[in-house]
Amino acid sequence: MRVGDGWHEELDGALAKNNDVRGRLRARMLMPRLPRRAEPVRRVANSSVAPEYRHDLDGLRGLAIALVVVFHVWMGRVSGGVDVFLVLSGFFFTGMLVRRSEIKRTLLRTGRRLLPALTVVLVTVLGATAIARPYTQWGDISGQTLASALYYQNWFLAGAELDYLAPDPSVSPLQHLWSMAVQAQFYLVILVVVAVWARRSGQRMLLLAGLIGAGAVSFWYAAEGAAQHQAWTYYDSGARAWELLAGAALAVAAPWIKVPHSARAVLAILGLAMVISCGMLIDGASRFPGPAALFPVAAAVALIVSGMGTAPWVNRLLAALVLVRLGGLAYALYLWHWPVLIFYLAQYGKVTPGLQGGLLVVGVSLVLAVLTERYVETPLRQRGYTEGMRYRRGVGFVTAMAGVGVLVAALGWQAVLKANPAHAPEALDAVQYPGAAVLFAGAVAEPERMRPTVFEAQKDAPRPTSDGCITPNRDVRVCTYGDENAARTIALVGGSHSEHWLPTLEVLAAEHRFRIVTYLKEGCPLTLVDEPSYALAPFPECREWSVEVLDRLAGERPDWVFLTATRPRTDDGDTVPPEYLDIWSALSERALNVLAVRDTPWPRRDGVTYRALDCLAHRGTAYSCGIDRATALTPENPAAQPASAYPNVFPVDLTDAICRPDRCLAAEGNILVYRDEHHISASFARTLAPELGRQIGAITQWW
């Protein structure tokens, strides 16, 4: 993200004055940041001459990348630095375009600036994944490699947030490249916009009005999206566009911006303070790019404007050599720091690197960034001196071949997966695969190949995952399973942890003749608040959906409502969130009876969930890939005591059929328990039917 490079060609000429090759080389060594003379360019109508190079903005870029790295490594938070990058990218790229109109040349120059370093990182990540990560992650990483190389990583991640068949991308070493994809998409769009503007009118005011209008629409879209579905909106290019457009509009309006020096000094102080404090004051991961992102965007705009003229002391401070040099490394450092951090955490089984580990991560990232900048980026950006031409061509050839290799390897693995699709296992023999029966019925399981396999696991899901009966949005979808003509009805309500009980209920419905009517929404247990205590971000869409579902339940009058009663604690054990009690009260007011099932234990280390199937693929065993029962569950069902205050709420607890007295294993009775981080596989869920049937029968007296 070398956002300041658009200004360098406006200062060309110093080195071309000396025709002696050695003299030019010496000058280049003395002034390494001053490039040679560019070819003459055709100015766009009504464009202004490029202003003096802004070293303070290089320094701002250096400060932003420092904040990004520090907050990622030690604080696990979003710093706002990426939002500053977006504004700067919009400012510099658009400013460069309105001063010149050669689209082909701009595309080539931008590609030469961005692709080589990205290729080096992708090659390294792909190789390290093949060597150090479980093969169950190769499919996801190869898919994200393609998405990163082709600059649609943000959409890949957005889809993964909504698609419950996709692996969780939260620990992907390529997750951070979503911002590169957003910027690349913006570059392509703004290239077309400026090209049309230059050819048809060349009126700067018209272009400015268009950018402001588009930014306003994008901001409204981001505000609406952040309030409704934050996970998707965070990666949405349309929701992020206003941050880039803020910088773009500023670049177009620059000739008209005249601010007194005293006011610019105030802007500089406020802007710097806001950039530094943003990550500490705002949890950007749960609120950006909504209105809260105005904070870092306004800070970046203030610092850009404050330097338009005689620089205040803050801008001179940002132009300090150390920050400027760090700004020069910003792109390479951004590319490297995240995969280094993720591989470190995975290698040592840690959730956070700590002080010493964090220093190691930062140090390694800096070394890799310097090497990438010096031996890959710089040679491919410099032209015109014969001594370096052979090396430059060699680097270009090697990176090009590496890029082709990355695409071939990633596409090849995706093709292998496509040609050998995983399928959920058919009905398993109860003698060979007793599953949970070894725990609650004393069944004996002779060793057999585990099913589902680690490749089949994610497909071994309840039917709503694939038939569309669990909604990803605000719509209330109602589906019927079991005996559709039965007189008795159980309503299965809530999120995916209600959904994964459907295979168990289907077995019972076939045996005891009742209907199952589902009201399911991804990530949404019933709630009456916008931001439940267990949520990572506000989710008002869940509350709105829940209110409508409660009204429908009151009208449909099912015999029983089946939903989850507990969630894991942030430390050890499980608990009943207060929001669940509000739902119990609401159902009681509607005279609806409730089967409140204790949630299944979540495999986790230090509060962070992990995929048992990855652990098994990485030389783990059913025991080592499980979790201590005392870590996953409190000694007694936490729903039992509060449920006693509600005559309509009856707790159901199947944890003794899932966990042994001391540990919850990753597989029982030759069946994999978990299909991902915390959902039980459909095959294992079916083996729980006898125990669930015993408890439901005792409560309902249906059998």
Side-chain angles (χ1 to χ4, degrees), residues 368-409:
L368 291 173
V370 169
L371 294 175
T372 303
E373 192 259 356
R374 177 170 298 178
Y375 296 109
V376 178
E377 291 187 86
T378 299
L380 292 177
R381 288 164 52 77
Q382 293 179 344
R383 296 176 296 171
Y385 61 97
T386 57
E387 288 86 347
M389 187 58 66
R390 180 177 297 178
Y391 178 78
R392 182 172 181 268
R393 288 175 177 171
V395 171
F397 177 78
V398 171
T399 55
M401 291 300 98
V404 172
V406 163
L407 293 176
V408 169

Side-chain angles (χ1 to χ4, degrees), residues 366-584:
L366 276 170
V367 169
L368 291 173
V370 169
L371 294 175
T372 303
E373 192 259 356
R374 177 170 298 178
Y375 296 109
V376 178
E377 291 187 86
T378 299
L380 292 177
R381 288 164 52 77
Q382 293 179 344
R383 296 176 296 171
Y385 61 97
T386 57
E387 288 86 347
M389 187 58 66
R390 180 177 297 178
Y391 178 78
R392 182 172 181 268
R393 288 175 177 171
V395 171
F397 177 78
V398 171
T399 55
M401 291 300 98
V404 172
V406 163
L407 293 176
V408 169
L411 281 170
W413 188 250
Q414 291 292 307
V416 168
L417 296 178
K418 190 79 172 179
N420 300 276
H423 298 285
E426 301 294 334
L428 298 174
D429 181 84
V431 175
Q432 292 178 302
Y433 294 93
V438 301
L439 299 179
F440 68 80
V444 177
E446 296 296 330
E448 295 283 350
R449 180 194 184 199
M450 184 188 72
R451 302 294 302 277
T453 66
V454 292
F455 283 117
E456 295 171 334
Q458 291 184 1
K459 296 294 184 180
D460 197 19
R463 286 198 284 166
T465 298
S466 55
D467 67 15
C469 283
I470 181 168
T471 182
N473 50 44
R474 171 66 179 75
D475 297 336
V476 175
R477 301 180 186 178
V478 182
C479 298
T480 302
Y481 301 89
D483 187 343
E484 296 186 8
N485 299 317
R488 300 179 299 194
T489 302
I490 290 180
L492 181 63
V493 183
S496 58
H497 276 255
S498 292
E499 178 205 21
H500 71 189
W501 289 106
L502 179 62
T504 317
L505 291 171
E506 285 184 295
V507 174
L508 295 175
E511 181 179 355
H512 299 291
R513 299 184 59 82
F514 62 85
R515 287 190 306 159
I516 308 163
V517 180
T518 61
Y519 302 80
L520 301 169
K521 176 174 171 56
E522 293 176 358
C524 180
L526 286 181
T527 184
L528 295 175
V529 298
D530 284 345
E531 188 172 3
S533 59
Y534 49 82
L536 299 177
F539 199 7
E541 180 182 295
C542 181
R543 176 190 56 79
E544 296 168 3
W545 177 86
S546 299
V547 170
E548 183 174 344
V549 167
L550 287 172
D551 291 341
R552 292 201 183 193
L553 291 173
E556 294 296 329
R557 312 298 307 170
D559 296 282
W560 291 89
V561 176
F562 189 102
L563 43 69
T564 55
T566 63
R567 288 186 72 89
R569 295 169 56 93
T570 55
D571 45 11
D572 291 343
D574 54 342
T575 187
V576 179
E579 294 81 7
Y580 283 22
L581 302 181
D582 295 338
I583 291 298
W584 295 358

Side-chain angles (χ1 to χ4, degrees), residues 123-143:
V123 168
T124 305
V125 168
L126 208 58
T129 297
I131 295 171
R133 301 303 290 270
Y135 54 81
T136 46
Q137 294 184 6
W138 293 1
D140 181 48
I141 296 301
S142 63

Side-chain angles (χ1 to χ4, degrees), residues 238-256:
R240 288 284 178 178
W242 71 271
E243 300 181 85
L244 289 138
L245 288 167
L250 197 58
V252 175
W256 301 310

Side-chain angles (χ1 to χ4, degrees), residues 247-409:
L250 197 58
V252 175
W256 301 310
I257 297 176
K258 308 295 181 184
V259 181
H261 181 77
S262 58
R264 287 189 288 109
V266 173
L267 284 176
I269 294 171
L270 288 175
L272 182 60
M274 292 168 69
V275 168
I276 294 173
S277 64
C278 179
M280 294 177 281
L281 298 177
I282 302 173
D283 182 8
S286 64
R287 300 179 65 184
F288 292 170
L294 280 169
F295 195 89
V297 170
V301 168
L303 287 168
I304 293 172
V305 171
S306 66
M308 292 180 174
T310 305
W313 67 268
V314 170
N315 295 80
R316 295 197 299 271
L317 179 65
L318 287 173
L321 181 60
V322 63
L323 287 177
V324 171
R325 180 58 182 143
L326 191 57
L329 292 172
Y331 179 52
L333 183 55
Y334 184 81
L335 292 179
W336 280 115
H337 84 283
W338 184 259
V340 171
L341 172 63
I342 295 302
F343 278 108
Y344 174 88
L345 296 177
Q347 181 65 30
Y348 292 99
K350 295 183 177 181
V351 178
T352 59
L355 178 59
Q356 292 182 339
L359 290 173
L360 178 62
V361 167
V362 172
V364 171
S365 302
L366 276 170
V367 169
L368 291 173
V370 169
L371 294 175
T372 303
E373 192 259 356
R374 177 170 298 178
Y375 296 109
V376 178
E377 291 187 86
T378 299
L380 292 177
R381 288 164 52 77
Q382 293 179 344
R383 296 176 296 171
Y385 61 97
T386 57
E387 288 86 347
M389 187 58 66
R390 180 177 297 178
Y391 178 78
R392 182 172 181 268
R393 288 175 177 171
V395 171
F397 177 78
V398 171
T399 55
M401 291 300 98
V404 172
V406 163
L407 293 176
V408 169

